[in-house]
Amino acid sequence: MLRLFALTVAARLAVFLLASFSASFLPSFDSSGGRNPFLRWDAIHFQHIAQAGYVYEHEWAFLSGLPFLMRTLPAPVFQLLSVAMDLGTTHALYHLSLEMLGEKIATLTTLLSLLPSSPATLRLAPYNEPFLTFLSYRGILHCQRKQFLAATVLFTLAGFFRSNSVILAGFILWGMIVAPFLANAPIRLSAMLYVAPIFLPFLAHNAAAYMAFCTPVNRPDWCERVVPSIYSHVQKTYWNVGFLNYFTPEQIPNFLIAAPPILLLYSFCIWHLRRPRSPSPFLSRALTPHVLHALFLTTAVVFSAHVQIMLRFAASMPVVYWAAAWLLIYHPRLGYAWIAWSITWGAISVVLWSTFLPPA
């Protein structure tokens, strides 16, 4: 475990050095973040919310967890917390993989996780990804151990960072209802009590916006909708998020950039669901809720969001690294191609990030 921790720190340092070099010596497309390689893209929004609160309507696309930490904690403490999240993610992924797939695959999986598809947002910038990833992994590990109350707490905390964390509730429903049903064991309807709090951060975020904007004097159009969600409103209005909205010729490069993790996830998930049960650890029924979660999230991103954010979302799902390990074991040539792509794209993406170039 200590070696994995050391490699995690080394990977983080490599990203920092490459980003710092790029920000110092390469021209930046946008000067908003200056020479600080940490402040690019959404990090600028998070910083403004941390300093001034939600001033502009479009800022309500960002949940309050990260700005709260940035506002509350001194910068060195925040950086130490980010490092702790990184190390905690490594620890959680290794032990989750160890319990589900065995020691050799757990080690391989954790090593592969050192090559994420968006290293800048996971290991460099003040972004939601390190917090969401740690809380997701740790909560899933508690689900695997049937410690559902602890999982509820962690998944609820994840809800303060990203809206898609609400679907993590599916792991609790699977562990308390679906898995017992499939095993002809008693199901626990109390699962609903464990699941309900996970939705509270997202609901509270929208409720706060409703009280701020939907006054008797001034009521924007979204206030009159059946579900008056400012989050849905700003995503559609400012980011053009919606079903098939991204399916345009101009977005072909983004689909190509995001293709590797999408194809990997679809290939592994379909293989897992279509193959009969066998001694292969990758066909264990314990992986099925992870497969279903990945299929749902990946499909939602491909058809209803900015497809390039899959590069960021992938890290929050342990199944992406299990799929990479499966590829390396069962299809070595493709597995080595995945590693080559991860290293190459990881380095390129850090340079692009540091020079304020897409994808973000």
Side-chain angles (χ1 to χ4, degrees), residues 303-340:
F303 290 97
S304 299
H306 292 192
V307 70
Q308 70 270 23
I309 67 173
M310 195 64 211
L311 297 165
R312 288 192 270 138
F313 281 9
S316 67
M317 297 182 288
V319 70
V320 73
Y321 301 119
W322 296 335
W326 162 78
L327 200 64
L328 199 57
I329 293 170
Y330 288 89
H331 308 281
R333 288 188 178 181
L334 292 175
Y336 288 123
W338 169 264
I339 293 174

Side-chain angles (χ1 to χ4, degrees), residues 45-46 49 53-64 163 201-213 222 229-235 238-239:
H45 295 298
F46 288 127
I49 296 170
Y54 290 92
V55 176
Y56 305 108
E57 186 181 64
H58 68 268
E59 291 179 328
W60 288 87
F62 306 99
L63 273 69
S64 62
S163 61
F202 183 68
L203 294 175
H205 183 75
N206 282 277
Y210 185 87
M211 289 186 288
F213 285 92
W222 63 266
S229 168
I230 193 171
Y231 183 84
S232 300
H233 165 69
V234 297
Q235 289 284 356
Y238 297 97
W239 279 271

Side-chain angles (χ1 to χ4, degrees), residues 21-154:
F21 177 86
S22 302
S24 298
F25 296 101
L26 297 177
S28 178
F29 181 76
D30 190 304
S31 62
S32 300
R35 291 294 179 184
N36 184 347
F38 296 93
L39 291 179
R40 298 290 187 269
W41 299 105
D42 291 352
I44 295 173
H45 295 298
F46 288 127
Q47 184 188 52
H48 183 260
I49 296 170
Q51 293 173 342
Y54 290 92
V55 176
Y56 305 108
E57 186 181 64
H58 68 268
E59 291 179 328
W60 288 87
F62 306 99
L63 273 69
S64 62
L66 185 61
F68 172 79
L69 293 177
M70 294 173 68
R71 180 172 59 253
T72 305
L73 301 177
V77 177
F78 180 86
Q79 290 300 324
L80 287 175
L81 180 60
S82 297
V83 174
M85 293 294 101
D86 216 354
L87 295 174
T89 296
T90 296
H91 182 272
L93 178 61
Y94 175 79
H95 284 280
L96 178 63
S97 303
L98 182 65
E99 294 189 14
M100 300 180 70
L101 299 167
E103 184 177 358
K104 290 184 178 180
I105 297 178
T107 301
L108 176 59
T109 296
T110 310
L111 289 172
L112 289 167
S113 74
L114 300 178
L115 302 171
S117 50
S118 183
T121 58
L122 188 65
R123 297 208 159 94
L124 177 67
Y127 254 55
N128 289 317
E129 271 61 35
F131 299 94
L132 173 66
T133 301
F134 167 74
L135 293 167
S136 297
Y137 284 19
R138 197 73 203 177
I140 292 170
L141 178 59
H142 282 298
C143 285
Q144 175 66 19
R145 295 173 175 174
K146 302 188 185 306
Q147 299 166 340
F148 297 112
L149 180 58
T152 295
V153 172
L154 290 163

